Amino acid sequence: MQRTHTYGLSISRRLTMILISAMVLVSFMALLEGYKRSMQQAQQQMDAHLHNLAGVLINAQTTQWPENDDVYAKLWDKGRVVFSAKKLIPISAVQVMEPGIKTTNMVGLRLRVLAIKQGDKHLIVGEPMQKRFNLTESLILSAMMPLVVAMPILALFIAWYIRLSLLPLTQLSKELKHRKADNFERLNTASTDAEVAPVIERLNSLFTKVEAAYLRERYFASDAAHELKTPISSLKIHLHNVSQEMNHVSFDAMALGLEQLTHIVEQMLTLARTEPDSWQANFTNIDVLSLTQTVVSNLYPRIELKRQQISLEGEDAYIRGCEFTLSTLFINLISNAIKYSPNDGSIQLSVLNSEGRIGWQIDDSGTGMSEAQIARVFDRFYRVGGDKHPSGEKGAGLGMAIVSQILAIYGAKIVLQESHLGGLRAQVWFLKEQTCVTESN
């Protein structure tokens, strides 16, 4: 049964996102720390500039202040105003703070103000804080702009280098993704990386071992079954001849045992012939309803022997498939229903069409199966109840294993549950892609 796998982000993308995110975060923190330190250093340098300017102004002989918006100053000598910036005219000597420097609101401005006293002279010099902020920001932007411009280039380089470094792993992933299940050739991907090279080496070694095991498993059953057919046929002939000359109760048991052995051999051959990868290339349009009628017709002598009632309902429905595998699928499921339903029991067959999907369903009036039995029913050589099943029927335990392999050929899904007839319901749903609207001519 085919499954759709959902994969997360690739290693390349995750690494790129993590590294670029870390780079952006670190750069932002560096910018923030640089801004704080630049502000502190600018504050110290400009405070020193204010001290120098104040020293010049308090000793100058000027009686006028050259108006500008960068620095404001006012000088008192023995309480009399010597000069003053226009914005500081409203400030009186009483409002002047104690000598020192601090940031304060004055005349509607946020100023860095220095006050000094020298004898009878009292001077205040103020510098707008906005001027300092603008100057500091321009310095920081000038210093950090190369880094900001370089970040996208660095991000592209990181993404390119990660992609280049993981290229062997990406190639290996693509090769494995598109490799067929029965392809055990050595990988084409090569790498000298310490992380990837051992993986490729181990995979190639594993492919060699798996190929040998696969071939042994694939051909052993068919070869063994094929070789057994001749001696079994010979035994049947000799048993028949001996039974004509002698009459012994053991002959019937021996004949039944040979029939069971023949059935096992035929099932083993069928199992070997239903490898999923070798059938899909030869699919044609198959009428599911018509094929089911043919299978029921071939199995009807067994149904009549147990006086069972069988019905088939549904309309013509076509899927892409092959007659042999579909016939084998239906034969095994119907045979199980015949086998495990009692004399005078009922079997109902239905061809379903729901939302463009074709389904095939069988209900029987047998004893059904528990959840634990359903979980194991597709295992090879597993029989519900073993040879002690209430039906007393013999079997090889390969029928449902064959069903499982055929389902894999079609990517189909089977649901086993309790039937309204009291026994088991088996419901097979084929993929939408295999559904045909009409039969091709």
Side-chain angles (χ1 to χ4, degrees), residues 294-305:
T294 302
V295 171
V296 171
S297 176
N298 293 334
L299 294 176
Y300 196 76
R302 292 177 55 190
I303 298 170
E304 190 175 29
L305 186 64

Side-chain angles (χ1 to χ4, degrees), residues 153-206:
I153 300 174
L154 186 59
L156 290 174
F157 174 78
I158 290 173
W160 170 80
Y161 190 76
I162 290 175
R163 185 181 180 87
L164 181 65
S165 300
L166 294 177
L167 185 59
L169 193 58
T170 303
Q171 292 173 340
L172 177 61
S173 175
K174 288 182 179 179
E175 184 175 356
L176 291 174
K177 182 178 180 180
H178 295 96
R179 176 173 285 237
K180 293 185 177 180
D182 59 350
N183 182 2
F184 301 106
E185 297 178 359
R186 292 181 63 85
L187 293 166
N188 295 322
T189 303
S191 174
T192 57
D193 295 334
E195 295 83 4
V196 182
V199 175
I200 297 175
E201 182 182 347
R202 290 291 182 269
L203 282 174
N204 285 329
S205 176
L206 182 62

Side-chain angles (χ1 to χ4, degrees), residues 333-366:
L333 291 174
I334 297 174
S335 294
N336 281 344
I338 297 170
K339 185 185 299 183
Y340 295 118
S341 292
N343 292 342
D344 301 312
S346 299
I347 300 172
Q348 291 182 359
L349 298 171
S350 306
V351 177
L352 312 173
N353 192 333
S354 176
E355 297 180 357
R357 293 183 66 192
I358 302 301
W360 187 92
Q361 178 177 297
I362 181 170
D363 292 272
D364 65 59
S365 59

Side-chain angles (χ1 to χ4, degrees), residues 50-51 54 96-103 112-117 122-125:
L50 277 183
H51 278 283
V96 175
M97 63 186 187
E98 293 296 323
I101 188 168
K102 68 176 183 179
T103 303
R112 183 71 170 170
V113 180
L114 170 65
I116 62 173
K117 290 184 71 174
H122 198 163
L123 174 70
I124 60 170
V125 182

Side-chain angles (χ1 to χ4, degrees), residues 399-414:
M400 293 304 285
I402 294 172
V403 167
S404 179
Q405 285 199 181
I406 295 174
L407 292 175
I409 293 174
Y410 290 89
K413 179 182 179 182
I414 187 169

Side-chain angles (χ1 to χ4, degrees), residues 11 83 117 145 157 202 222 307 323 354 388 428 438:
I11 297 175
F83 62 79
K117 290 184 71 174
M145 188 56 68
F157 174 78
R202 290 291 182 269
S222 59
R307 304 183 304 280
E323 187 171 326
S354 176
K388 297 181 180 180
V428 177
T438 57

Side-chain angles (χ1 to χ4, degrees), residues 75-264:
L75 177 64
W76 290 268
D77 187 4
K78 297 179 181 181
R80 182 179 59 84
V81 176
V82 178
F83 62 79
S84 174
K86 290 181 180 180
K87 288 186 178 295
L88 298 184
I89 290 175
I91 303 299
S92 64
V94 178
Q95 295 176 289
V96 175
M97 63 186 187
E98 293 296 323
I101 188 168
K102 68 176 183 179
T103 303
T104 184
N105 291 323
M106 185 177 290
V107 294
L109 297 172
R110 187 70 174 169
L111 300 176
R112 183 71 170 170
V113 180
L114 170 65
I116 62 173
K117 290 184 71 174
Q118 185 175 308
D120 294 330
K121 293 181 179 181
H122 198 163
L123 174 70
I124 60 170
V125 182
E127 187 174 44
M129 290 298 296
Q130 188 61 44
K131 169 192 170 183
R132 296 191 171 199
F133 290 146
N134 292 340
L135 180 58
T136 304
E137 288 174 1
S138 65
L139 291 174
I140 292 173
L141 287 176
S142 299
M144 295 298 180
M145 188 56 68
L147 177 61
V148 173
V149 173
M151 281 178 62
I153 300 174
L154 186 59
L156 290 174
F157 174 78
I158 290 173
W160 170 80
Y161 190 76
I162 290 175
R163 185 181 180 87
L164 181 65
S165 300
L166 294 177
L167 185 59
L169 193 58
T170 303
Q171 292 173 340
L172 177 61
S173 175
K174 288 182 179 179
E175 184 175 356
L176 291 174
K177 182 178 180 180
H178 295 96
R179 176 173 285 237
K180 293 185 177 180
D182 59 350
N183 182 2
F184 301 106
E185 297 178 359
R186 292 181 63 85
L187 293 166
N188 295 322
T189 303
S191 174
T192 57
D193 295 334
E195 295 83 4
V196 182
V199 175
I200 297 175
E201 182 182 347
R202 290 291 182 269
L203 282 174
N204 285 329
S205 176
L206 182 62
F207 284 149
T208 302
K209 294 179 182 179
V210 172
E211 181 181 23
Y214 172 78
L215 293 175
R216 284 196 304 267
E217 191 274 339
R218 179 175 182 180
Y219 294 114
F220 173 76
S222 59
D223 291 346
H226 187 271
E227 292 298 323
L228 284 171
K229 290 184 72 174
T230 301
I232 289 174
S233 299
S234 177
L235 281 173
K236 282 185 176 181
I237 294 172
H238 289 302
L239 180 62
H240 176 75
N241 293 336
V242 172
S243 65
Q244 297 298 316
E245 298 175 4
M246 299 175 60
N247 185 14
H248 196 279
V249 293
S250 297
F251 288 146
D252 292 337
M254 292 173 65
L256 183 61
L258 278 174
E259 287 298 327
Q260 185 179 0
L261 185 58
T262 301
H263 175 68
I264 293 174

